[in-house]
C-alpha cells in the first residue's frame, strides 16, 4: 500500500492514504492529542505539547506503515507486511517494547524488551498483536 502526501483538513485532521489523525487540544491541561485511525477504525492515540509534535508522530507512523509495518491496538509491528516475518514492536510514541518473530511452523512469538524468554505467542501476527495489546493492558511491561 502506497501512502499519499499528508494534508491538513478543516476538521483539524491530518490524512495520509488510509491513515488519519484527528487532533484535539485540551486547553486546561495544555496537552494536544491525536486519535490515529485506519479508515474508520481507531488504532491508537498519541499526545504531545504541540500540534506539530502530533503531526510529526503521525507522519512517523505513516512511514513505518508504508515500509511494511502494521499499526493496531496502540502498537506497531515492524516487518509485518513483508517477507521478514519479524521485527520490533513499538508503541505509537516510538518506544520499543520488544521484538516479534515467526517460527518455522508459522507461530509468532513476542519477547519483551527486558525479557530473555518468550513473553507471549500466537498462531498468526494478527493474533499476536492482540495478545501483545492484552499484555500491555495488564501492565506487564517487564
Amino acid at each position: 500500500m502506497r501512502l499519499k502526501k499528508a494534508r491538513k483538513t478543516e476538521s483539524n485532521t491530518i490524512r495520509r492514504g488510509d491513515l488519519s489523525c484527528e487532533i484535539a487540544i485540551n486547553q486546561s491541561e495544555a496537552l494536544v492529542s491525536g486519535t490515529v485511525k485506519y479508515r474508520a477504525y481507531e488504532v491508537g492515540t498519541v499526545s504531545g505539547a504541540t500540534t506539530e509534535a502530533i503531526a510529526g508522530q503521525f507522519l512517523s507512523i505513516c512511514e513505518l506503515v508504508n515500509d511494511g509495518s502494521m499499526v493496531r491496538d496502540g502498537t506497531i509491528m515492524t516487518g509485518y507486511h513483508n517477507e521478514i516475518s519479524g521485527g520490533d514492536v513499538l508503541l505509537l510514541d516510538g518506544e520499543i517494547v520488544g521484538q516479534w518473530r515467526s517460527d518455522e511452523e508459522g507461530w509468532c512469538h513476542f519477547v519483551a524488551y527486558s525479557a530473555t524468554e518468550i513473553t507471549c505467542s500466537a498462531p498468526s501476527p494478527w493474533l499476536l498483536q492482540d495478545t501483545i495489546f492484552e499484555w500491555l493492558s495488564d501492565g506487564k511491561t517487564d
Side-chain angles (χ1 to χ4, degrees):
M1 160 175 71
R2 270 292 176 214
L3 300 174
K4 299 175 185 173
K5 187 175 180 182
R7 59 186 159 88
K8 192 169 183 170
T9 64
E10 304 77 36
S11 63
N12 212 19
T13 298
I14 301 170
R15 297 187 187 285
R16 191 165 186 191
D18 288 333
L19 292 172
S20 65
C21 183
E22 296 175 4
I23 299 174
I25 301 171
N26 184 331
Q27 299 290 346
S28 63
E29 297 178 18
L31 183 67
V32 181
S33 64
T35 302
V36 179
K37 293 182 177 184
Y38 174 77
R39 297 185 181 167
Y41 303 99
E42 185 176 329
V43 296
T45 58
V46 292
S47 61
T50 64
T51 56
E52 292 79 13
I54 298 302
Q57 288 179 12
F58 174 68
L59 292 176
S60 294
I61 292 166
C62 291
E63 290 304 318
L64 286 168
V65 169
N66 196 38
D67 289 340
S69 298
M70 172 61 94
V71 60
R72 228 165 110 288
D73 293 333
T75 61
I76 301 167
M77 289 175 62
T78 65
Y80 192 100
H81 290 291
N82 52 36
E83 297 178 17
I84 297 172
S85 297
D88 290 326
V89 177
L90 303 89
L91 301 179
L92 294 188
D93 65 5
E95 177 186 354
I96 299 173
V97 295
Q99 293 185 326
W100 77 281
R101 64 176 169 76
S102 180
D103 65 19
E104 311 80 41
E105 297 172 4
W107 270 78
C108 298
H109 310 282
F110 168 72
V111 177
Y113 183 65
S114 60
T116 56
E117 296 183 19
I118 294 173
T119 304
C120 52
S121 299
S124 71
W126 184 267
L127 293 174
L128 181 63
Q129 201 159 16
D130 289 343
T131 304
I132 293 168
F133 172 74
E134 291 171 14
W135 174 78
L136 288 166
S137 296
D138 289 342
K140 299 175 182 174
T141 56
D142 53 10

